[in-house]
Amino acid sequence: MEGKANLEAAIEQLQNVEKQMRLAGDVAGTKKAVTEILQLCFEAKDWKALNDQIILLSKKRGQLKQAVTAMVQQAMQYIDETLDLDTRIELIKTLNSVSAGKIYVEIERARLIRKLAKIKEEQGLIAEAADLMQEVAVETFGAMAKTEKIAFILEQVRLCLDRQDYVRAQILSRKISPRVFDADTSKEKKKPKEGDNVVEEAPADIPSLLELKRIYYELMIRYYSHDNDYLEICRCYKAIYEIPPVKENPAQWIPVLRKICWYLVLAPHDPMQSSLLNSTLEDKNLSEISNFKLLLKQLVTMEVIQWTSLWNAFMDEFENEKNLLGGSLGDKAAEDLKQRIIEHNILVVSKYYSRITVKRLAELLCLSIQEAEKHLSDMVVSKALVAKIDRPMGIVSFQVAKDSNDILNSWAMNLEKLLDLVEKSCHQIHKETMVHKAALKV
């Protein structure tokens, strides 16, 4: 009781000093007085008095911004010193209420909310933690360090993915431009001019830009895996593969390159997939995993692939992915792999045949006639190729129907080529004649 009375007396004395300094507009004096009051409460371990004093001092008439900032920053140091979780949460909530709506302590408020969200997550309240984090729009904070902003947004995305809110996760991820990770950090920072916003240094626990790049793409892989968007997953792994620390360490890049190869094979055929496939085949590192090079070459080569022999050759590799970086390829991956091989085979057949019987097509694809028709129809609907099935005759035609203008244009082109050949022939005959005439004169 005596200690509490002494504390109240000391606080009262400092409050009088704080009032004098505040009314006189003495910034340094006011800051010192408010921080001393908080320090007294902390040393006495009187957490209730600390919370009360923070609210009381912040609501004083004409309270200086610098004093509120100093007070919030001072009290934030005490959060980790509290042994009781309820006391810690109460202190964070007090500081949150004081800093709400004040631009000059917006960074501190963001850090407080992140701490509170972490506590909620540890308690298993993922939805509450995600809702808390979404309240803060750090992209508008001019004074916050770039790496801290990115780390905060990535934390928002991660919590949304944990609660399976994929729509909001996508919206939040778009706040980060992938180009921001390619910025040259080696350049010296320019000294801020007078009147410019001073950007604060990021806390020590914030990862570097390259580490954040990896975290970003790993989160995007989680997002695209939800929709089985194999091409986008492949592009994310390609971006991770290009990170210098990953590319320099074979133990890191080999599992990533394996994933790139698998997702390239699983991705539907389109110009982007074809471009990535060819660029990956040119990678010298692919020779380290020669069986994957063989797999990609089979897709590039316009030859029919036997599904059973391919699956027998790569089944063990497919199963091994579970134990490597990124985990297994997904529940539908084996089915989709077979689907891609069938699609590849249909494209090969369409290249070599203008017309083919459905029975022969089914034999080439190692499928029943009904299955072959179904896969062919799906590809026609998705506009991957042009084909028509004559069911009574049992014939598939891969020829594109030409309209009258195309036919006339082709005739005109053929006539032009014919006239060119006639002109060249006449020129050659004339040349030979002149050569022989000259020889006879001699």
Side-chain angles (χ1 to χ4, degrees):
M1 289 295 289
E2 190 181 333
K4 194 167 185 181
N6 290 339
L7 177 65
E8 286 174 0
I11 287 171
E12 196 174 338
Q13 277 185 331
L14 283 167
Q15 280 177 340
N16 292 331
V17 173
E18 183 271 334
K19 186 179 180 181
Q20 289 173 3
M21 296 296 178
R22 174 163 45 84
L23 295 174
D26 186 345
V27 175
T30 312
K31 280 168 72 176
K32 195 170 188 327
V34 296
T35 51
E36 284 293 330
I37 291 168
L38 299 190
Q39 188 65 27
L40 283 173
C41 295
F42 172 67
E43 286 170 1
K45 300 295 178 189
D46 192 339
W47 301 109
K48 189 179 182 305
L50 179 67
N51 288 327
D52 292 343
Q53 287 301 322
I54 290 167
I55 293 166
L56 185 72
L57 290 167
S58 66
K59 287 184 177 177
K60 294 275 188 183
R61 184 170 63 85
Q63 184 59 276
L64 302 172
K65 290 178 183 179
Q66 295 90 333
V68 175
T69 306
M71 191 166 58
V72 171
Q73 288 172 349
Q74 175 90 354
M76 280 176 73
Q77 294 172 17
Y78 303 151
I79 292 169
D80 295 328
E81 302 291 328
T82 55
L83 300 173
D84 182 21
L85 185 63
D86 292 332
T87 308
R88 190 180 301 174
I89 292 169
E90 192 60 39
L91 180 56
I92 292 170
K93 284 182 176 177
T94 300
L95 291 170
N96 263 340
S97 64
V98 167
S99 55
K102 296 182 176 71
I103 293 173
Y104 48 90
V105 282
E106 61 186 4
I107 294 174
E108 285 76 11
R109 185 166 185 266
R111 289 170 184 168
L112 285 164
I113 284 175
R114 192 172 177 183
K115 283 188 178 186
L116 187 58
K118 193 175 181 182
I119 292 167
K120 293 284 184 190
E121 190 183 359
E122 285 168 2
Q123 292 174 338
L125 305 168
I126 303 289
E128 281 189 39
D131 289 336
L132 273 170
M133 289 289 281
Q134 281 161 39
E135 289 175 12
V136 189
V138 288
E139 65 276 9
T140 62
F141 296 179
M144 187 181 265
K146 181 168 71 176
T147 50
E148 192 176 356
K149 276 186 197 178
I150 295 167
F152 195 95
I153 295 167
L154 289 177
E155 194 67 12
Q156 290 176 323
V157 173
R158 185 185 66 79
L159 285 167
C160 284
L161 289 172
D162 286 350
R163 72 184 288 194
Q164 298 184 335
D165 187 351
Y166 295 101
V167 174
R168 195 166 271 111
Q170 186 195 25
I171 293 164
L172 289 165
S173 69
R174 285 180 177 174
K175 291 180 180 180
I176 300 171
S177 169
R179 284 179 296 179
V180 79
F181 299 113
D182 302 325
D184 189 2
T185 52
S186 61
K187 290 180 182 176
E188 289 185 14
K189 291 178 182 177
K190 293 179 181 177
K191 289 182 180 178
K193 295 176 184 176
E194 198 174 334
D196 285 357
N197 286 333
V198 179
V199 177
E200 286 190 20
E201 287 290 325
D205 62 335
I206 298 296
S208 66
L209 203 61
L210 286 175
E211 287 167 351
L212 288 169
K213 181 177 182 177
R214 182 162 190 158
I215 294 164
Y216 168 76
Y217 283 110
E218 282 171 356
L219 288 172
M220 293 316 294
I221 287 165
R222 277 183 65 188
Y223 169 73
Y224 289 122
S225 298
H226 166 64
D227 293 328
N228 289 325
D229 193 339
Y230 297 124
L231 187 61
E232 287 300 329
I233 295 170
C234 174
R235 290 177 70 186
C236 290
Y237 274 116
K238 192 90 173 164
I240 293 171
Y241 178 69
E242 296 297 332
I243 298 171
V246 174
K247 207 159 189 181
E248 289 162 11
N249 185 358
Q252 288 191 38
W253 65 252
I254 287 175
V256 175
L257 191 56
R258 283 171 65 100
K259 282 285 191 290
I260 290 168
C261 295
W262 276 122
Y263 284 111
L264 269 174
V265 176
L266 287 165
H269 180 79
D270 68 6
M272 176 65 77
Q273 186 260 2
S274 183
S275 172
L276 278 171
L277 191 63
N278 288 304
S279 65
T280 306
L281 268 170
E282 289 168 12
D283 192 339
K284 290 176 184 176
N285 289 339
L286 199 62
S287 56
E288 295 290 321
I289 44 173
S290 54
N291 48 349
F292 281 89
K293 189 171 186 176
L294 182 69
L295 176 66
L296 295 187
K297 272 191 174 177
Q298 279 185 286
L299 281 179
V300 172
T301 310
M302 293 306 281
E303 289 179 9
V304 172
I305 301 168
Q306 290 292 330
W307 164 247
T308 47
S309 59
L310 181 108
W311 182 243
N312 290 335
F314 288 94
M315 186 166 61
D316 293 337
E317 296 286 2
F318 190 87
E319 293 298 322
N320 283 344
E321 290 301 321
K322 291 176 183 175
N323 310 318
L324 295 174
L325 170 119
S328 58
L329 301 169
D331 303 328
K332 278 180 79 251
E335 292 173 32
D336 288 335
L337 181 62
K338 188 177 182 181
Q339 175 80 8
R340 296 296 164 257
I341 299 303
I342 292 166
E343 286 174 5
H344 167 80
N345 290 343
I346 290 172
L347 285 169
V348 170
V349 171
S350 71
K351 186 175 175 67
Y352 290 112
Y353 289 85
S354 57
R355 292 168 82 240
I356 188 171
T357 62
V358 179
K359 187 183 175 185
R360 178 64 181 141
L361 178 67
E363 283 174 15
L364 288 168
L365 299 177
C366 302
L367 299 170
S368 66
I369 290 172
Q370 288 78 13
E371 285 177 322
E373 272 195 24
K374 181 188 174 295
H375 287 293
L376 181 64
S377 303
D378 289 342
M379 286 187 76
V380 171
V381 169
S382 63
K383 296 185 179 177
L385 60 85
V386 176
K388 283 184 179 179
I389 302 172
D390 185 345
R391 277 205 175 85
M393 293 290 288
I395 291 173
V396 180
S397 173
F398 294 109
Q399 288 176 325
V400 181
K402 293 180 180 178
D403 62 6
S404 54
N405 287 331
D406 289 335
I407 293 165
L408 285 169
N409 286 337
S410 67
W411 287 353
M413 285 291 290
N414 289 339
L415 278 171
E416 199 175 328
K417 283 179 184 175
L418 180 64
L419 289 169
D420 279 344
L421 280 169
V422 169
E423 192 178 347
K424 279 180 184 176
S425 302
C426 290
H427 180 72
Q428 289 294 330
I429 292 164
H430 185 64
K431 185 180 172 184
E432 288 292 320
T433 308
M434 295 301 288
V435 167
H436 284 292
K437 275 184 180 179
L440 286 169
K441 281 178 183 178
V442 172

